[in-house]
Amino acid sequence: MAKFILRKAEPKDVSDILRLIKELAKFEEMEEQVVLTEKELLEDGFGDHPFYHCVVAEVPKDNQSIEGYTVVGFAMYYFTYDPWIGKLLYLEDFYVMKEFRGYGMGSEILKMLSETAVKTRCSGMHFIVAEWNTTSIEFYKRRGASDLSHEEGWRLYEIDKCNLLKMSSK
Amino acid sequence: MRFTISAAKPEDCKDIERMIMELAVYENMPDQVKISHKELERDGFGPNPFYHCLVAEVPEEHKSKDGNTTVGYVIFFYTYSTWKGRTVYMEDLYVMPEFRGNGIGKALLGAVAKEAKDQLCSRLQFSVLDWNKPSLDFYMAKGAEDLTAKEGWHFLRFHGMALDNLAQEAP
């Protein structure tokens, strides 16, 4: 099995996208943190000002997954801004179903995204990876990625909704 | 000290460029600043801006030693979490050293928090250098959590030659 296509996600893909998001979250041992719904994915990705862009990997019907799925991988990205170097492509999620790995889908998705980044004048492609996820880190480092947390000391911080509301009312 | 917080205008870009460089010097990385006010103007204003910016201004009688009245800024944009949906990412927050201690930083952060709330964002994310204790203290006091420590997240990137090489292999 090697045939697959990569294409822009369409509104009809949201239920497959959510399924794959949950599978990836399960792998990252954070499945209970996914509160996003199909309705939000639809509104936020396919309106006048989308918050994200998405590509999906699809196999022919005769190669469908054990449970009967033909959408077997996805990548979600959006554009961010670095005041030092300008526009960036930020890779939010990137996942291929386990039974479809080893056929080059991951590599093809990454290459397609990097081409999008170059075409749209982005200075770089950024993303985060959990430090225990050595398989993914190796995958990226083999292709020339650098670890800014390790090299420059950047740490990711978050202020949650409750504290945001406190700050916005002062 | 009186000050105002307002949305940046294209003509503010020279001041924003000046303060971006001041922040980069503080972070010991001034040689990494490659863009100027021209790119900031092109990319931040128009129907599809790549970032949003608020500036803090003081009246003429409180201008800085060098004669500036624009004394702080915050740059942020909207991102998306596949777990939680809409998120605000705060890229830069800076107040000139001579104007600190007057609540300007707090006001800029509060203004971003309000935008986040209005846009139905569930959280605010940002990054801080591990040695930057004054900033870490400021954010921790407002309830920030270190996700690198808690969940092990590292920032990775493809840039320059590595990005070009990856793109050239595209089908």
Side-chain angles (χ1 to χ4, degrees):
Chain A
M1 196 289 297
K3 274 203 308 171
F4 62 90
I5 57 151
L6 298 182
R7 60 171 176 80
K8 263 177 80 166
E10 292 160 36
K12 66 176 174 131
D13 295 317
V14 293
S15 91
D16 278 303
I17 295 169
L18 189 57
R19 168 179 57 83
L20 294 168
I21 285 170
K22 287 181 175 169
E23 274 184 37
L24 176 52
K26 193 172 182 181
F27 166 70
E28 288 168 337
E29 294 171 8
M30 301 211 231
E31 202 183 358
E32 72 291 349
Q33 291 216 36
V34 180
V35 297
L36 194 60
T37 62
E38 280 182 30
K39 184 168 177 282
E40 282 158 339
L41 270 175
L42 196 60
E43 275 169 18
D44 296 339
F46 300 94
D48 290 329
H49 294 287
F51 280 83
Y52 70 86
H53 303 279
C54 190
V55 300
V56 295
E58 202 169 21
V59 295
K61 217 152 165 63
D62 48 340
N63 284 131
Q64 67 194 232
S65 77
I66 297 168
E67 298 110 324
Y69 299 119
T70 53
V71 173
V72 301
F74 84 107
M76 181 187 276
Y77 67 96
Y78 38 81
F79 296 100
T80 62
Y81 204 77
D82 182 319
W84 297 353
I85 53 175
K87 206 170 149 201
L88 297 172
L89 188 148
Y90 188 88
L91 178 54
E92 173 61 31
D93 262 14
F94 173 26
Y95 177 75
V96 174
M97 287 170 72
K98 219 169 172 181
E99 69 185 276
F100 292 92
R101 290 185 202 159
Y103 297 105
M105 272 190 214
S107 291
E108 291 302 316
I109 292 174
L110 200 59
K111 285 174 203 169
M112 181 188 239
L113 294 174
S114 57
E115 204 191 29
T116 302
V118 169
K119 268 196 201 148
T120 55
R121 256 196 312 107
C122 292
S123 305
M125 179 157 69
H126 286 209
F127 47 103
I128 54 174
V129 189
E131 65 194 357
W132 54 257
N133 191 351
T134 46
T135 317
S136 295
I137 293 178
E138 285 314 306
F139 173 88
Y140 293 122
K141 281 194 160 164
R142 270 201 302 276
R143 286 157 179 77
S146 37
D147 182 336
L148 296 183
S149 291
H150 183 70
E151 286 171 29
E152 294 175 5
W154 292 104
R155 304 181 73 80
L156 178 65
Y157 282 80
E158 179 174 293
I159 293 178
D160 66 18
K161 197 166 189 175
C162 178
N163 286 297
L164 270 184
L165 287 170
K166 280 187 203 161
M167 284 195 302
S168 66
S169 60
K170 282 188 187 155
Chain B
M1 178 190 287
R2 279 186 311 132
F3 60 88
T4 58
I5 307 288
S6 56
K9 299 182 288 298
E11 49 268 34
D12 290 321
C13 287
K14 285 194 172 141
D15 277 304
I16 298 167
E17 178 191 25
R18 168 183 55 82
M19 291 187 285
I20 284 171
M21 185 52 90
E22 286 175 21
L23 179 52
V25 165
Y26 172 72
E27 288 169 341
N28 299 320
M29 297 193 246
D31 48 303
Q32 293 210 34
V33 181
K34 309 284 185 214
I35 64 170
S36 74
H37 63 272
K38 291 200 180 90
E39 285 87 0
L40 290 170
E41 275 168 39
R42 178 194 64 192
D43 298 336
F45 303 89
N48 202 18
F50 288 97
Y51 69 89
H52 302 280
C53 184
L54 304 174
V55 291
E57 278 175 294
V58 295
E60 192 64 30
E61 62 264 30
H62 288 306
K63 66 189 187 203
S64 76
K65 288 194 301 285
D66 305 315
N68 296 306
T69 53
T70 306
V71 303
Y73 76 100
V74 62
I75 283 179
F76 64 97
F77 40 78
Y78 297 98
T79 61
Y80 207 73
S81 156
T82 45
W83 299 351
K84 306 244 164 88
R86 299 182 189 184
T87 301
V88 165
Y89 189 88
M90 185 169 67
E91 176 63 34
D92 269 8
L93 172 62
Y94 177 76
V95 176
M96 289 168 68
E98 70 186 275
F99 291 91
R100 290 182 198 164
N102 292 301
I104 296 177
K106 184 178 162 187
L108 283 165
L109 186 57
V112 175
K114 186 175 181 302
E115 294 268 342
K117 189 181 115 183
D118 292 345
Q119 291 296 326
L120 309 174
C121 296
S122 56
R123 57 197 192 169
L124 170 71
Q125 289 191 334
F126 51 100
S127 53
V128 188
L129 288 161
D130 53 13
W131 54 257
N132 191 352
K133 196 164 184 318
S135 295
L136 292 171
D137 289 344
F138 173 80
Y139 293 123
M140 298 310 269
K142 289 169 172 36
E145 259 194 300
D146 179 343
L147 295 190
T148 295
K150 187 178 176 201
E151 295 170 7
W153 295 107
H154 279 223
F155 285 102
L156 268 68
R157 74 166 172 203
F158 284 103
H159 81 133
M161 188 84 91
L163 184 65
D164 289 337
N165 288 343
L166 208 52
Q168 263 152 47
E169 292 170 48

